[in-house]
Amino acid sequence: MLYMHDLWVNWFEGEENGYNVCRFHEWRKEDGIELIDQIPLLKVQDDLFHYIENDLQELPIAMLQDIQRKTYMKKNQERHTIEYAAVITNGTDVLVFDTLGYTSPVKKSRLIPRQERLALEMVQGKRAEHYTIEENIRKEHHILSLDPDKMSGLTRRERQLKQLLMMALDQLKHSDHPEEIRYWLTEWDPVQYPSIKSLSTEQAWSRLYEETCHGWTKLHEELCGKMVKGQPFFETIWQGENDKVSQHMKSQN
């Protein structure tokens, strides 16, 4: 078995979509970067790589057995054993996971570019391990777990705010004030106000979702900011993302 040593990781916990496991260029100063002392490296087939990258389902039993207690982390000069963790690659991309002792990839991370290149070099010319996925349930994307195409090309901040907007839209759909849906659609597209008046609640919500779930623009940001106002949980997320931008701007000056 191949092993990698002294790896820097930036764990993203509970992320079922690979687009939320940020690449190195999107890591932030406040992220909790950790050092892995030793970890197995596996070359796997494309389907298994994407299954682990984009889901939180059970990992193959044979794979878990192969990597069990073979990862070590150092904390305060003490070496700790990790139950199930590995670096995986399909020969073109690289991902690290840790199950936290469970049997699904609860924590995921990318690698820094130099270590990513090393992982790819180490498996070059080697055959991919064949692990059988016990039960591959087809993943369904929905408003709170958008299809990767709808997040393509967005920055970390834009993805976070887009997820926040989708959470606000989902809440709006199930609220006790359906008349608000037409109001927010008008905020989004004031020119269409005459036709919006004649839409049913379901039609108005569908149009609002369909028109906002693609891309990210200043209009998206403005709508998101207005919709989360007065909702403490949503406002905390909104404020957090904007504070990070302010801190970044200050550090650049």
Side-chain angles (χ1 to χ4, degrees):
M1 180 171 279
L2 297 172
Y3 290 93
M4 298 192 75
H5 300 273
D6 301 322
L7 287 197
W8 294 104
V9 290
N10 181 15
W11 295 121
F12 291 85
E13 194 166 328
E15 291 293 354
E16 61 172 313
N17 292 302
Y19 54 70
N20 282 331
V21 183
C22 296
R23 303 275 172 185
F24 173 70
H25 69 274
E26 290 194 316
W27 290 8
R28 293 169 172 167
K29 284 182 181 176
E30 66 272 16
D31 289 342
I33 313 300
E34 293 184 7
L35 181 65
I36 296 178
D37 195 31
Q38 173 187 297
I39 188 168
L41 167 64
L42 299 175
K43 186 175 186 181
V44 297
Q45 294 174 322
D46 276 332
D47 59 343
L48 180 57
F49 183 88
H50 295 301
Y51 171 85
I52 295 171
E53 182 184 36
N54 295 298
D55 223 322
L56 290 170
Q57 292 189 56
E58 299 281 307
L59 296 172
I61 293 168
M63 181 188 203
L64 292 171
Q65 289 171 339
D66 284 349
I67 63 173
Q68 189 171 21
R69 301 181 68 78
K70 290 181 179 173
T71 296
Y72 301 95
M73 295 189 77
K74 268 187 183 167
K75 284 186 181 176
N76 304 323
Q77 301 305 311
E78 286 186 21
R79 213 174 187 221
H80 297 273
T81 309
I82 306 298
E83 193 68 22
Y84 302 117
V87 180
I88 56 166
T89 176
N90 56 357
T92 55
D93 205 355
V94 183
L95 185 78
V96 193
F97 71 82
D98 176 0
T99 71
L100 289 180
Y102 300 101
T103 54
S104 56
V106 180
K107 296 199 300 186
K108 303 173 192 177
S109 175
R110 305 292 177 179
L111 292 180
I112 64 173
R114 175 176 57 81
Q115 293 176 333
E116 195 169 87
R117 285 194 299 273
L118 176 60
L120 294 173
E121 286 168 10
M122 287 172 71
V123 300
Q124 206 166 16
K126 296 196 178 294
R127 211 166 53 190
E129 297 283 346
H130 184 77
Y131 294 112
T132 304
I133 301 168
E134 298 297 325
E135 188 181 2
N136 192 358
I137 302 162
R138 185 171 173 77
K139 180 169 176 177
E140 297 289 336
H141 287 284
H142 51 80
I143 190 170
L144 300 179
S145 176
L146 290 176
D147 188 285
D149 289 346
K150 294 184 172 71
M151 289 294 199
S152 180
L154 305 190
T155 65
R156 179 173 176 177
R157 175 178 179 273
E158 289 167 347
R159 292 193 303 274
Q160 291 288 332
L161 292 182
K162 188 164 185 177
Q163 285 180 287
L164 178 60
L165 176 59
M166 293 298 116
M167 287 161 67
L169 282 176
D170 186 57
Q171 185 187 71
L172 180 66
K173 185 180 185 179
H174 300 102
S175 77
D176 296 328
H177 306 285
E179 66 280 359
E180 286 186 17
I181 295 172
R182 277 187 288 272
Y183 169 80
W184 288 116
L185 181 56
T186 305
E187 280 286 310
W188 168 255
D189 191 0
V191 177
Q192 297 299 319
Y193 176 65
S195 66
I196 290 170
K197 285 192 295 183
S198 63
L199 295 176
S200 69
T201 300
E202 289 77 14
Q203 288 171 328
W205 188 87
S206 292
R207 186 190 287 189
L208 184 56
Y209 169 69
E210 289 300 330
E211 292 186 12
T212 56
C213 71
H214 297 280
W216 187 259
T217 64
K218 193 179 176 189
L219 285 175
H220 283 85
E221 190 148 334
E222 287 172 357
L223 179 68
C224 185
K226 289 173 184 173
M227 287 190 76
V228 302
K229 217 163 194 177
Q231 302 192 63
F233 175 67
F234 289 167
E235 277 191 324
T236 301
I237 300 172
W238 169 265
Q239 197 57 51
E241 285 303 315
N242 285 299
D243 286 348
K244 281 159 192 163
V245 170
S246 302
Q247 288 162 10
H248 180 70
M249 297 285 281
K250 283 177 187 171
S251 68
Q252 297 296 303
N253 296 329

